[in-house]
Structure formats: structure tokens, C-alpha cells
Amino acid sequence: MKTLKEIVFCITPFVVTAATMYLLGSFVCASWNVAEWERTDRMFFGLTTVLFGFALMLRLDYGRKYEH
């Protein structure tokens, strides 16, 4: 059970940021279809999603580690 919690803990920040960046990208690029986005837009939103996912995961880990 602990392993399942760790997997969910590691995956959830990336899912949340991917959904958020997809919504933001669809409004910025004026298309819900990712294939219609410019190459630079896909690169920007993809890299931003990964970086924000790591940041959110580290923030959650920091909060979990130092709970009182």
C-alpha cells in the first residue's frame, strides 16, 4: 500500500500541471488540438509542464516531510 501511495504522490503533480498547461496553451494558441500548435509553443508548454511538475512534487514532499 505504501508503494501505491508513493506512485500516486509522484504522478499527481505532473497530471495536475499537464492539465493546467493544456488549458492555458489552448487559450494562448486558440486551438484545443495540440497538433495545430506551433512547434515552439509545444516545446514551451511541454518543458514548463515538466518543470512545474517537479516544483510541485518537491513542494508537496517538503510539506509532507516537515508536518507537525
Side-chain angles (χ1 to χ4, degrees), residues 32-54:
W32 291 102
N33 187 0
V34 179
E36 294 177 3
W37 295 1
E38 296 282 331
R39 181 177 181 265
T40 54
D41 293 333
R42 288 194 304 264
M43 292 285 292
F44 172 76
F45 287 113
L47 290 173
T48 306
T49 299
V50 171
L51 293 176
F52 281 159
F54 277 124

Side-chain angles (χ1 to χ4, degrees), residues 1-58:
M1 188 67 174
K2 183 178 179 182
T3 305
L4 181 62
K5 286 182 182 180
E6 290 174 353
I7 291 171
V8 170
F9 176 77
C10 291
I11 298 297
T12 303
F14 293 100
V15 172
V16 169
T17 56
T20 304
M21 294 308 288
Y22 174 73
L23 290 174
L24 180 64
S26 65
F27 288 115
V28 170
C29 299
S31 173
W32 291 102
N33 187 0
V34 179
E36 294 177 3
W37 295 1
E38 296 282 331
R39 181 177 181 265
T40 54
D41 293 333
R42 288 194 304 264
M43 292 285 292
F44 172 76
F45 287 113
L47 290 173
T48 306
T49 299
V50 171
L51 293 176
F52 281 159
F54 277 124
L56 184 58
M57 186 174 65
L58 291 174

